[in-house]
Amino acid sequence: MSLRQTLRENTKQWHAKLDAEVAAFRPFESMAHYAEYLCVMQRLYVRSAASVDWTSQQAELECRAGHLLAQLAQDLAAAGRPPCSERAQPADRRLPLDAAWGEAYVLEGASMGARFLLHQARERLPQASYLFLGDLSTASAQRWPRFVDALDRAN
């Protein structure tokens, strides 16, 4: 079984759980909910930045974790909330290569849903800043095929 197939099989429950938790949380119900969603994403990207950037390098893609974290901070500031990353675990841990690919696979794959989330956010919270979701929705269509190609080569 290829690494991609293994990751697809082993992360199905994570994707389903993440989708269910986001839906149950209703991140676009209010600015407070949206700010909390942004904090969760900020902590996730702080924790996974090393994996995301390492796999981006392997796929010859732009390393974007720092850029996305800056956008999250700007969106949070626009929502009147300070950055939440101080509660995240630093990304200075070394993961086995398959775990690094796994973290990046989940985040890159989840970014494919950003277009849907951006539409919901604009509809329900027109006053909010959407730098993070806007960037993810624009970049994901270009990044995903290149990421998957690199993942297939990583076998």
Side-chain angles (χ1 to χ4, degrees):
M1 185 182 300
S2 73
L3 179 57
R4 180 180 177 194
Q5 291 169 322
T6 300
L7 289 174
R8 182 183 298 147
E9 213 38 54
N10 290 341
T11 62
K12 274 183 187 178
Q13 73 275 6
W14 295 351
H15 285 285
K17 182 179 179 188
L18 180 61
D19 289 346
E21 286 179 6
V22 169
F25 181 68
R26 299 183 309 250
F28 310 115
E29 181 175 275
S30 67
M31 284 301 290
H33 278 226
Y34 180 54
E36 190 56 36
Y37 162 78
L38 294 171
C39 279
V40 168
M41 297 308 294
Q42 189 177 52
R43 287 190 293 270
L44 183 59
Y45 272 90
V46 165
R47 181 184 179 281
S48 303
S51 296
V52 170
D53 282 348
W54 180 83
T55 56
S56 292
Q57 290 172 342
Q58 303 311 301
E60 299 177 359
L61 292 165
E62 176 187 1
C63 294
R64 297 170 23 90
H67 176 72
L68 292 171
L69 285 166
Q71 290 177 326
L72 283 160
Q74 290 175 19
D75 287 347
L76 281 162
R81 182 129 177 217
C84 308
S85 58
E86 69 279 351
R87 289 183 263 160
Q89 292 298 316
D92 61 352
R93 70 220 197 293
R94 292 199 53 103
L95 294 176
L97 295 183
D98 57 344
W101 279 110
E103 273 191 349
Y105 180 82
V106 170
L107 289 174
E108 291 285 351
S111 72
M112 296 296 287
R115 183 171 288 141
F116 173 72
L117 294 175
L118 179 61
H119 175 74
Q120 284 186 342
R122 284 182 172 153
E123 188 175 275
R124 296 179 183 160
L125 298 171
Q127 74 279 20
S129 173
Y130 325 106
L131 295 173
F132 172 73
L133 286 174
D135 193 289
L136 279 184
S137 68
T138 301
S140 62
Q142 297 169 335
R143 290 180 64 86
W144 183 248
R146 291 179 60 195
F147 177 82
V148 168
D149 286 345
L151 186 57
D152 290 340
R153 288 191 310 271
N155 279 324

